[in-house]
Amino acid sequence: MAIVSFDRDTLVDFVPEYGGNRNSEDPCVVRLKFVPYSRVQEYSRLIAASAGAGSDAVKTVRLSQSVQKRQFVESVSEVCGYYIGEREVTDPDEFYESADTELVTEIIRAMENIGKLSQGQRKN
């Protein structure tokens, strides 16, 4: 069986499973790019270079969180169907800052994993 991947520049409509969202009539959809392993490694190198030798754990955690947010914002083009009260949030940065940890983590795992991304890919 062949393995089919996503082009790193192609936008994919991903429907998170979080909170039964995939079964919703009007689900939240995250338009994102697949992040291949080579790009994940680039983010890891960025953390290592910024942390430097002998840096403390707190600094390393903050750097990791900062780079993870950067990966998210660079890879997510837009969000549809996510609301804070009555207001729809479409901006990836605002979404990242306000969404539940489990939801953000699911999206990050999907952008880094072909299988998870395919499972949640919006069906036309």
Side-chain angles (χ1 to χ4, degrees):
M1 178 179 195
I3 297 174
V4 179
S5 185
F6 294 92
D7 182 285
R8 68 189 284 170
D9 295 322
T10 300
L11 291 171
V12 178
D13 286 343
F14 176 74
V15 180
E17 193 170 21
Y18 174 84
N21 182 61
R22 282 193 193 150
N23 299 324
S24 172
E25 286 186 31
D26 192 21
C28 173
V29 178
V30 180
R31 180 164 270 193
L32 57 85
K33 295 177 187 175
F34 172 64
V35 179
Y37 183 69
S38 61
R39 188 74 175 130
V40 172
Q41 290 301 97
E42 287 177 34
Y43 289 119
S44 295
R45 283 191 293 275
L46 194 84
I47 293 168
S50 297
S55 65
D56 63 33
V58 173
K59 180 180 177 184
T60 303
V61 167
R62 285 190 181 133
L63 284 167
S64 295
Q65 291 169 339
S66 172
V67 171
Q68 182 181 62
K69 180 179 180 180
R70 178 177 168 182
Q71 175 186 337
F72 188 91
V73 172
E74 287 178 354
S75 301
V76 173
S77 160
E78 68 179 310
V79 180
C80 301
Y82 176 78
Y83 293 85
I84 297 176
E86 299 282 320
R87 183 176 60 84
E88 184 173 19
V89 173
T90 59
D91 178 64
D93 187 58
E94 187 176 4
F95 176 87
Y96 186 90
E97 291 295 331
S98 64
D100 185 273
T101 302
E102 189 177 326
L103 177 56
V104 172
T105 302
E106 178 185 354
I107 294 166
I108 290 170
R109 286 189 182 129
M111 69 177 59
E112 295 178 350
N113 183 296
I114 295 168
K116 291 187 186 310
L117 186 55
S118 294
Q119 287 174 351
Q121 192 171 9
R122 186 170 203 174
K123 310 297 185 239
N124 293 327

